[in-house]
Amino acid sequence: CLEKYFLIEDISGLSLMWGFPYWGEFLEKLPKNISQSLLWGLDKIAQWFPRLSDVLIACARVRK
């Protein structure tokens, strides 16, 4: 859809599991350093595989 109006230069993913039921409650039960490491790792996976991510970040220019 974006390609109709924009020239896509890069697409990156951000976050995995954000919409998963009880995800926040699960993270709260973990020690903070473990939950932070888990979130960091999932963000890296989302960057490598944007199609799996919860959020896409597109760098683009407007088509003329």
Side-chain angles (χ1 to χ4, degrees), residues 10-20 23 36 38-59:
D10 188 40
I11 294 181
S12 182
L14 177 67
S15 182
L16 284 174
M17 308 280 292
W18 188 81
F20 197 75
W23 181 239
Q36 291 298 317
L38 180 60
L39 289 171
W40 182 85
L42 290 172
D43 280 343
K44 285 296 171 195
I45 293 170
Q47 288 175 2
W48 296 327
F49 302 100
R51 289 179 181 240
L52 301 177
S53 69
D54 296 325
V55 177
L56 290 176
I57 300 169
C59 295

Side-chain angles (χ1 to χ4, degrees), residues 21-33:
Y22 307 107
W23 181 239
E25 290 89 346
F26 171 74
L27 290 174
E28 287 176 0
K29 291 180 181 180
L30 295 174
K32 186 162 181 103
N33 63 329

